[in-house]
């Protein structure tokens, strides 16, 4: 597949970590990379679905942290001035219970994105990038 | 390197190594220098931290690295990201701002030209001329597949570029992908992985190259639905390549060329783009700019370093 | 300071010095410490760099400063910026995210409670209770003018706050501005600057304080159009102050109080808010939290340092 | 006036400087501060008008630079995740001719902004902040 390379970088190989505030667990997080050769504006993300151990995570539980700010999945399409640099990780924060240290979890991410310069003869190309990895919790 | 044609490279060629963090920008510069490349193109949206607004510190560091590795920054590659917004295309005002911004940072980084895209529109392109002259930066438009010289908007662009008023500031960057007439190895591998039978694909490609139409190819064999899709894809993508003869017509307003390829064999040849004939045309034209290696066959299992080395060997041989 | 009532200050009081960069955050902390304040409130949207997402380094530095100046971070003051967007109000999901975010950073900074605003809605407020318990931070709502205990939404809030399930996590922060019954010096100066005659204004205020209606005041004098506007403004803003007796009803679920004022005279008294009676009520209630100086008479020509010093003296005297 | 303080900080007292790229002048710039006691999101700015020596500057010539990015005046109303911290200056860049060093110019700024938490009984307060200063070019 032509986009095999980019699919594989979507979910970072780095471990899952719990999010803690003064020692209290309030969720967990892992890292995403934009699945392309170049960076983009967040507004080009048309869909972002996260499944952990085959469970779809509801969007209000998710914080998408990039460039020093945390936004909601539902806001991405409007953030046309927020650039996701190709070698920067976005941190995907899932609020709620933490995960047990030492366990492994299946992380599945689907990211649908518009390629903003491809309107050669009309519509823009829209790509689905998908990546599934089993990550450790440390 | 013979004559005045110089060997450049778009660092985009190193995408697999860069996006997986195996090579950082400095490593990219070091390696291409060691392979004999003299000029580089940087795709700003790919390699410039804090793009579209890089820091002055980064610019200074970058210039230091260019000096260290004896590289000329030929081209700052910009996009017309017309579809950034979900609700509408960019406005004229926005396109001008993004373009001006790229030109400013390109100038700061010492680039000779900014590559932009056809979506800038002839109207806005003309409006940028005073700013090009003011800061002394060329603004050039890439002619990229599926476009070719016969596309209407390109007839307009070429007229603007040939106007003496824009001389030295405007121009076209032909991407050799416009001359590709048959599927490259990456597409072939993808078709095979998708379920196309090897012998069926060989037959399809042979018949495509011999000029048969979509219907003729489909009717001349017993193909699966997937294979019929492959035939359609090949005919859709590779049926209307630009003619080699078109290049000569572009070269008078061409300051820079994208030597696009997806795979070079061990013998350093491309069987899908007529590089030999294209390079003859370039040599005969008196073209004096850079031809940039633009390797795009990015997969995990192919070494981009080997590919760009083969490109340098291929071009060197042809220019002798 | 007598009893268990402690003297705090919202650093908002120092606005004129902070926004003009005369005092940075450390200077604010140092000065309030030297004036005898023990607890502080920080308006995060005002003094926290990179708000709403301060860096961990900043949090550490801030905690170091609090230690250095022997100050307790009582309250992290947050907003419900319902009208951030031009096209619509914030959604429930967005309000929750902003509120959770403030609570997280408040906790990191060591705050005891987060002050939020009534616009959170009773529904979302109740939904935040588990998170309050999870991270051990109080979420309290300020009752700010023009609200008062008889506003419908506040009846709902007070019921939620009095529910034993929320004890220790929810509560109300009465802002003493709700008890203000007559214009303060800043408003008076503004009316005079606007063209209101001094003798007319004296008469208007006297009649307002004696309980006359808008029509009665207007009909009892010969006023300019501007002066009639002043009368309307005074009647609009200061006709329905909360009753002093209301405070006692709030105090059972009050962990913190905003000692709002706009101007204290040299004798350290406020002629527009019945501080004496309010402090009597507090003393009698057994309230054990902080009462925070919240000076809001910000003008270039008034020294906030002098004002907050007068507040400390006033409260100290009343608590003796 | 109640907002006298905030009006006065809107235009910084710092000098106007020319914008140069490798020695070439492409415009000039000066600094703005948000006219309030606290920071805000750019989306709360409802209008921003700039007059230099009594001439209204057309918005396409203006770049509003903050938090490491430059946006257009017409975009401000949509930038609901971009925070303008109260002690950070925004740089107002006016592209075109530079100004002569040593000259003085009248800088007039009108900023209309919505106070996003003031909808107590309905509509939000909208304030006009206005500031005029004569600044030097250095
Ligand atoms: Mn190209
Ligand atoms: Mn208050």
């Amino acid at each position: 597949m032509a986009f095999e390379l980019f699919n594989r970088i979507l979910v970072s190989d780095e471990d899952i970590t719990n999010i803690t505030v003064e020692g209290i667990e309030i969720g967990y997080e892992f890292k995403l990379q934009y699945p392309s050769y170049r960076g983009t504006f967040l507004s080009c993300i048309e869909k972002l679905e996260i499944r952990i151990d085959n469970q779809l995570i509801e969007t209000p539980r998710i914080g998408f942290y990039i460039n020093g700010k945390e936004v909601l999945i539902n806001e991405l399409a409007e953030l046309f001035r927020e650039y996701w640099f190709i070698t920067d990780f976005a941190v995907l924060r899932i609020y709620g219970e933490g995960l047990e240290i030492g366990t492994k979890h299946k992380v599945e991410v689907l990211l649908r994105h518009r390629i903003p310069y491809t309107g050669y003869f009309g519509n823009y190309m829209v790509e689905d990038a998908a990546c599934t990895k089993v990550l450790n919790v440390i | 390197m013979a004559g005045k044609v110089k060997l450049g490279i778009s660092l985009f060629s190193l995408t697999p190594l860069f996006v997986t963090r195996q090579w950082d920008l400095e490593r990219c510069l070091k390696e291409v220098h060691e392979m004999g490349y003299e000029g580089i193109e940087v795709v700003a949206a790919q390699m410039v931290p804090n793009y579209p607004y890089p820091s002055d510190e980064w610019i200074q560091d970058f210039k230091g690295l260019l000096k260290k590795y004896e590289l000329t920054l030929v081209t700052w590659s910009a996009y017309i990201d017309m579809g950034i917004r979900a609700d509408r295309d960019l406005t004229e005002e926005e396109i001008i701002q993004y373009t001006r911004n790229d030109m400013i940072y390109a100038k700061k980084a010492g680039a000779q030209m900014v590559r932009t895209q056809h979506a800038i529109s002839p109207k806005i392109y003309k409006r940028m001329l005073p700013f090009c002259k003011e800061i002394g930066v060329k603004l050039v438009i890439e002619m990229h597949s599926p476009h070719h010289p016969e596309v209407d908007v390109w007839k307009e662009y070429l007229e603007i570029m040939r106007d003496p008023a824009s001389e030295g500031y405007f121009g076209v960057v032909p991407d050799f992908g416009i001359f590709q007439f048959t599927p490259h190895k990456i597409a072939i591998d993808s078709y095979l992985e998708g379920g196309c039978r090897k012998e069926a694909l060989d037959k399809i490609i042979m018949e495509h190259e011999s000029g048969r139409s979509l219907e003729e190819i489909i009717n001349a064999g017993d193909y699966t639905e997937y294979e019929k899709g492959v035939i359609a894809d090949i005919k859709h993508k590779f049926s209307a390549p630009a003619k080699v003869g078109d290049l000569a017509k572009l070269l008078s307003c061409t300051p820079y060329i994208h030597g696009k390829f997806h795979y070079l064999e061990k013998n350093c040849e491309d069987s899908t783009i007529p590089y030999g004939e294209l390079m003859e045309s370039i040599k005969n034209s008196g073209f004096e700019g850079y031809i940039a290696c633009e390797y795009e066959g990015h997969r995990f299992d192919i070494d981009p370093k080997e590919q760009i080395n083969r490109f340098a060997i291929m071009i060197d041989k042809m220019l002798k």
Side-chain angles (χ1 to χ4, degrees), chain A residues 17-28 95-99:
Chain A
T17 54
N18 283 317
I19 308 168
T20 62
V21 179
E22 303 294 293
I24 300 157
E25 275 176 19
I26 58 167
Y28 58 93
Y95 291 99
E97 307 262 296
L99 296 176

Side-chain angles (χ1 to χ4, degrees), chain B residues 150-186:
Chain B
E150 298 311 312
V151 171
D152 281 346
V153 73
W154 270 103
K155 292 182 189 162
E156 269 190 83
Y157 279 131
L158 291 169
E159 199 176 311
I160 296 167
M161 289 166 181
R162 284 169 184 145
D163 183 335
S166 70
E167 203 184 327
Y169 293 100
F170 281 176
V172 55
V173 179
D175 177 294
F176 278 4
I178 65 175
F179 298 104
Q180 187 181 336
F181 56 86
T182 199
H184 47 64
K185 182 180 185 304
I186 308 304

Side-chain angles (χ1 to χ4, degrees), chain B residues 53 63 85 87-88 93-94 97-98 100 104-105 107-108 131 134-135:
Chain B
Y53 309 102
K63 288 170 104 165
R85 297 180 54 127
D87 55 344
R88 60 165 174 79
E93 183 181 342
E94 289 160 359
Q97 196 229 12
Y98 277 112
R100 180 178 60 202
I104 289 170
Y105 286 104
K107 177 73 179 184
K108 286 187 181 189
F131 193 64
E134 190 178 338
I135 69 166

